[in-house]
Amino acid sequence: MECYSCGATLGKDIVCPKCGLQVKVYKKLMNTAEFYYNEALERAEVRDLSGAIEDLQRALKFNKKHTDARNLLGLVYYEMGEVVSAIGEWVVSKNLNPNDNVADQYLSRVQNNQNQLETVNKTIKKYNQALMYCHQESYDLAIIQLKKVISMNSHFVRAYQLLALLYIHGGEYQKARATLKSAFKIDAHNVTTLSYMKEVRKQLHLDGKKSISKKNDELVTYKNGNETVIRPKMTFRETTAGMTVLNIVLGIIIGVLVTAFLVVPSVKQAAKSESNTAVSEANDTITTKDETISSLEAEIESLEKENESLQEEVDSGDNKLTSYDYLLKAYEAYEEKDLDTAAEALENVKKKHLSDDAQTIYETISEEVNEEKLSELYSTGYSAYNRYNYEDAAEAFQEIVDLDEEYKDGYAVYYLAQSYRHLEETKKAIKYYKRVIELYPNTSRASTAETYIEELSEDDSSDTDDETTTEEDTEDTTTAD
């Protein structure tokens, strides 16, 4: 055990031998975490996975850097079919202890098996689809989806539990019992599974006590010498024919009276009592099922939120990898002086997904690529403008202005306005003349822009004006150059 402050090895003393800090409470916390970890190991060996999860979570509360506990928690999740949760625990463990961590092996086995990752993804989607069917009360479709989930991931305990609950809801208790037995083979002491099984056994009357019938043998025992003789009681009575008839008549009368006054009311009372009992049991069953369904719906909602959170983490990881890939492509293209390819790659990079060092590289490449690109575009537009190729000039200057409106101290936006004027695109020319006035007031370009705005607004431009403008453009070009 190491000191949390200086990292020195601690002995039996309650004080750190190096820095002198009190470590009594710290050592107790570490020992408690180790105790729960060992308890979890014992539970996992007897397949009490739910209990193992509880102990491991307690251990991590006392020592969140207990990588062995976190790795074991990932294994338990993986055994229960919770692959996403398992990967999450292993990733955290790897970040806490990147050297000689068995979590590397677990992650490699999962990540290198592309088929398994696709199966996990399909399993999650089908399970979520089954949950949606449950909300829509399409229970048959939910059962079909859950059977597919179990066939793809035979260790997914929650899928077994939900399938069993649907069987219980449909009154198919034998199927529910078989499904829960499969869940028990994975996690032998899961509380949810136990509660569902209790309900199933109750419905199947498997918990009732066997009634023991007591025989009321009417036997006569007597001694005959040294032997004991046992025989049924027998009564011998001499009767006459008249007595026989009288006994028969009396028997019939007594039977009718007993039936009328004793049997019939008793049967009615018994039937009424059984009916009341059945109604009471049915109400109790409905109440229990409603409570179970409400509890399960709350659990479903929690699981959906957890799945959404995990999906966001996965998507965020993919976006980060994509941004780094495009940044690498941009860097390689920049090194080869392929500015167009570098610029296209930089457009796909999301700066927020980069680390501080990567953002510095991104900004450096972006600045130099944009600067060289703008310089090349300005040279192209300027050359086209001097050749009176105003379409190409407008295209080049427009691209510059979209990237940097103040490039070359505003001459780019000025020549863009000039190009649009020559192309007789009046609205665009006026728009960019106004930008020249706003960005560079009290300059010759601003004064020229005001003149052109008035002329274009009044729509009084003439051929003489165009010739004069051409001369003035040449003068402005010389000044810009």
Side-chain angles (χ1 to χ4, degrees), residues 389-459:
N389 185 357
Y390 298 116
E391 291 183 356
D392 292 345
E395 182 179 352
F397 287 127
Q398 183 67 66
E399 190 171 352
I400 293 172
V401 170
D402 290 340
L403 294 174
D404 185 359
E405 198 174 35
E406 300 180 11
Y407 187 72
K408 287 288 184 182
D409 293 331
Y411 275 99
V413 69
Y414 174 75
Y415 284 123
L416 177 60
Q418 292 284 68
S419 299
Y420 280 134
R421 181 176 63 80
H422 286 297
L423 293 172
E424 296 183 356
E425 296 188 29
T426 306
K427 292 184 178 179
K428 291 184 178 179
I430 292 175
K431 172 184 175 182
Y432 290 108
Y433 278 135
K434 288 181 177 179
R435 289 301 296 155
V436 171
I437 296 171
E438 292 173 1
L439 294 173
Y440 302 97
N442 303 322
T443 62
S444 60
R445 282 166 290 157
S447 178
T448 304
E450 289 176 353
T451 301
Y452 285 133
I453 288 175
E454 292 178 0
E455 292 179 0
L456 293 173
S457 299
E458 295 174 359
D459 198 22

Side-chain angles (χ1 to χ4, degrees), residues 272-286:
K272 184 177 180 180
S273 177
E274 290 178 0
S275 176
N276 293 335
T277 302
V279 171
S280 177
E281 290 179 354
N283 290 334
D284 292 341
T285 302
I286 292 172

Side-chain angles (χ1 to χ4, degrees), residues 43-60:
R43 289 178 181 270
E45 288 178 356
V46 296
R47 301 202 71 82
D48 181 8
L49 303 185
S50 299
I53 289 175
E54 293 178 0
D55 283 339
L56 290 170
Q57 289 175 343
R58 292 192 186 101
L60 292 174

Side-chain angles (χ1 to χ4, degrees), residues 307-372:
N307 285 336
E308 290 176 0
S309 176
L310 292 173
Q311 190 62 43
E312 289 177 358
E313 291 181 5
V314 172
D315 293 340
S316 176
D318 293 340
N319 291 334
K320 288 181 180 179
L321 291 176
T322 302
S323 294
Y324 277 106
D325 287 341
Y326 279 111
L327 180 61
L328 180 60
K329 291 180 181 178
Y331 180 77
E332 293 174 350
Y334 172 74
E335 289 292 320
E336 296 174 1
K337 303 300 182 181
D338 187 356
L339 301 181
D340 292 335
T341 303
E344 291 177 0
L346 288 175
E347 290 177 357
N348 296 308
V349 176
K350 302 297 183 182
K351 188 176 178 181
K352 64 181 181 179
H353 294 149
L354 302 177
S355 64
D356 293 340
D357 293 337
Q359 287 183 9
T360 302
I361 296 173
Y362 169 82
E363 292 173 355
T364 301
I365 297 175
S366 180
E367 289 176 1
E368 297 189 17
V369 168
N370 288 338
E371 182 62 31
E372 293 190 23

